[in-house]
């Protein structure tokens, strides 16, 4: 995430725990400051997998590991914006898009940033929706693929590999693109966006949000993925969303998952993470629900912006489980007959 975590936080936040609980009999989820939301049940005609059954095991830890091991490898030198390493990452992402039927949204996959002096580009693909009416509405699924490159060495290692931040989110988006690109079950159109220059101040997502807004894009929601490489600690939910209390996204997600999948992390609100990842420019430009899914809870990973953010520290079983839980939820969101996710 963009310059938001400091070492002092780790000492302050250990054991913060969760303030969210679910009453399994009433289906009520408790949220911040007394906010409560009923777990929303799936809409009719959402076009889900396998005749409505929650699909599982689309991906596995070995496939996740293959992607992560490349994106967070020493060869890519920490994927700093404008570097040779991030160029290699961009080409890798383009190849996955092309192989899985994701078309370029613009003339090519690379969308050159206009708000930074160095050479930088987002990678933007699109999968047209299958419904004649709903395909004119869009869902953006995104993550940043840049990191901070080479930093002060520790024990001779100067490469900030950025496995958790944010090869993990990038890998999640790539696996979601593989799922939808091959199944083609999406009634709405999906934009898959991998952002550069997040570490420079959200510049990639700022650029794309403004460009899409200038096209009068009918954006339903922007769903972002950030630091999902390790599981939450002692929580009764699997993932949290930034800006939890701002919308009913958590309740919608939990209803489609039929479990307490998405929760409220108090420290995410305390440190205003909603404004510190690539969801925020879409919130600013479009005013539609734009939020980030994350499993970094300030206690479960000690190597933010350090050379120790290495792929071998990632929990690939957790990541595979996360993707397998999320893609049917996103499929139902994308295929719901009406725009169910709304800001409060």
């Amino acid at each position: 995430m963009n310059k938001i975590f400091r070492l002092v936080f780790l000492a302050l936040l250990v054991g913060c725990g969760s303030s969210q609980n679910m009453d399994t009999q009433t289906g009520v989820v408790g949220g911040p400051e007394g906010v409560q939301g009923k777990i929303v049940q799936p809409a009719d005609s959402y076009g889900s997998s396998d005749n409505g059954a929650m699909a599982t095991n689309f991906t596995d830890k070995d496939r996740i590991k293959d992607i992560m091991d490349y994106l967070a490898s020493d060869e890519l030198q920490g994927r700093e914006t404008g570097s040779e390493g991030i160029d290699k990452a961009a080409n890798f992402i383009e190849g996955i898009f092309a192989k899985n039927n994701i078309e370029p949204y613009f003339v090519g996959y690379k969308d050159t940033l206009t708000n930074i002096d160095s050479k930088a580009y987002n990678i933007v693909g699109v999968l047209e929706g299958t419904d004649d009416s709903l395909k004119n509405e869009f869902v953006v699924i995104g993550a940043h693929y840049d990191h901070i490159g080479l930093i002060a060495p520790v024990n001779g290692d100067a490469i900030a590999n950025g496995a958790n931040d944010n090869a993990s989110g990038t890998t999640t988006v790539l696996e979601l693109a593989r799922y939808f690109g091959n199944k083609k079950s999406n009634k709405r159109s999906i934009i898959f966006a991998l952002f550069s220059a997040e570490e420079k101040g959200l510049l990639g997502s700022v650029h794309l949000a403004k460009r899409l807004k200038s096209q009068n894009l009918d954006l339903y929601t922007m769903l972002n993925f950030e630091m999902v490489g390790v599981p939450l600690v002692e929580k009764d939910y699997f993932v949290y969303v930034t800006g939890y209390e701002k919308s009913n996204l958590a309740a919608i997600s939990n209803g489609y998952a039929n479990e307490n999948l998405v929760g409220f992390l108090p420290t995410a609100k305390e440190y205003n993470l909603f404004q510190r990842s690539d969801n925020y420019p879409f919130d600013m430009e479009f005013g539609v629900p734009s939020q980030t899914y994350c499993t970094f809870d300030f206690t479960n990973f000690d190597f933010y912006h350090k050379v120790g953010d290495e792929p071998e520290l990632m929990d690939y079983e957790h990541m595979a489980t996360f993707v397998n839980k999320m893609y049917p939820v996103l499929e139902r969101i994308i295929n719901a007959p009406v725009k169910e996710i709304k800001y409060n």
Side-chain angles (χ1 to χ4, degrees):
M1 287 186 179
N2 176 36
K3 300 180 182 177
I4 59 175
F5 306 127
R6 297 293 183 264
L7 293 176
V8 68
F9 289 174
L10 296 173
L12 293 173
L13 298 175
V14 170
C16 63
S18 167
S19 67
Q20 171 154 346
N21 295 295
M22 180 174 69
D23 183 329
T24 56
Q25 292 182 332
T26 63
V28 173
V29 176
E33 300 177 354
V35 174
Q36 290 189 334
K38 199 171 183 180
I39 295 180
V40 178
Q41 295 304 311
D44 293 332
S45 303
Y46 48 71
S48 62
S49 304
D50 301 327
N51 298 318
M54 290 295 285
T56 57
N57 300 324
F58 168 72
T59 193
D60 58 45
K61 63 181 182 180
D62 293 330
R63 181 178 290 275
I64 295 289
K65 183 179 186 300
D66 285 345
I67 300 172
M68 288 288 292
D69 280 355
Y70 182 73
L71 288 175
S73 66
D74 285 355
E75 179 185 344
L76 270 58
Q77 296 283 290
R79 306 186 310 279
E80 183 170 14
T81 297
S83 70
E84 180 181 346
I86 199 171
D87 285 350
K88 292 180 179 180
N91 293 336
F92 177 76
I93 292 166
E94 285 184 305
I96 291 179
F97 278 1
K99 184 177 179 180
N100 291 286
N101 307 307
I102 307 302
E103 299 292 332
Y105 182 80
F106 300 110
V107 175
Y109 291 112
K110 290 185 175 73
D111 172 32
T112 301
L113 305 193
T114 57
N115 54 357
I116 189 172
D117 291 334
S118 61
K119 177 189 68 175
Y121 30 76
N122 299 324
I123 310 300
V124 188
V126 65
L127 182 65
E128 186 178 26
T130 61
D131 184 273
D132 287 342
S133 178
L134 291 178
K135 71 179 182 181
N136 297 312
E137 300 174 4
F138 288 79
V139 171
V140 171
I141 296 175
H144 75 90
Y145 75 106
D146 68 307
H147 198 231
I148 61 173
L150 303 178
I151 61 175
V154 177
N155 296 324
D157 183 5
I159 301 172
N161 299 75
N164 200 21
D165 183 18
N166 187 35
S168 64
T170 300
T171 299
T172 298
V173 172
L174 292 176
E175 282 294 84
L176 292 170
R178 182 172 70 89
Y179 173 79
F180 285 107
N182 287 280
K183 189 173 183 192
K184 298 181 180 177
S185 61
N186 54 301
K187 293 184 178 181
R188 289 181 176 83
S189 296
I190 309 172
I191 293 173
F192 295 97
L194 282 307
F195 304 110
S196 187
E198 188 267 0
E199 301 289 359
K200 307 293 186 185
L202 309 181
L203 296 182
S205 51
V206 166
H207 166 86
L208 183 61
K210 289 182 179 293
R211 189 169 186 188
L212 295 179
K213 181 64 174 179
S214 72
Q215 297 179 341
N216 295 316
L217 186 89
D218 186 355
L219 181 63
Y220 170 21
T221 185
M222 190 278 178
L223 304 174
N224 191 53
F225 293 88
E226 176 91 54
M227 295 184 73
V228 294
V230 294
L232 291 165
V233 176
E234 296 181 352
K235 305 296 191 293
D236 63 352
Y237 50 86
F238 196 88
V239 60
Y240 67 88
V241 287
T242 62
Y244 174 96
E245 74 281 10
K246 294 180 179 292
S247 82
N248 62 347
L249 175 60
I252 292 287
S253 299
N254 291 342
Y256 284 138
N258 197 31
E259 64 173 293
N260 197 27
L261 177 67
V262 181
F264 168 62
L265 184 73
T267 47
K269 180 177 181 179
E270 182 178 355
Y271 293 105
N272 198 19
L273 301 192
F274 176 76
Q275 294 186 8
R276 304 193 181 204
S277 194
D278 290 305
N279 58 285
Y280 188 58
F282 292 87
D283 167 79
M284 293 295 291
E285 289 295 328
F286 288 91
V288 301
S290 306
Q291 293 169 264
T292 293
Y293 292 95
C294 183
T295 65
F296 172 76
D297 70 356
F298 296 88
T299 71
N300 61 351
F301 191 70
D302 294 334
F303 298 100
Y304 169 76
H305 279 193
K306 294 182 180 180
V307 298
D309 188 0
E310 299 272 8
E312 56 263 29
L313 294 184
M314 300 297 98
D315 186 332
Y316 295 131
E317 192 68 56
H318 155 76
M319 289 185 63
T321 300
F322 177 63
V323 173
N324 285 329
K325 285 177 178 289
M326 286 305 305
Y327 77 80
V329 171
L330 297 189
E331 188 171 52
R332 288 159 167 78
I333 288 172
I334 291 164
N335 291 343
V338 297
K339 294 179 178 180
E340 299 174 309
I341 304 169
K342 300 180 184 299
Y343 273 148
N344 295 325

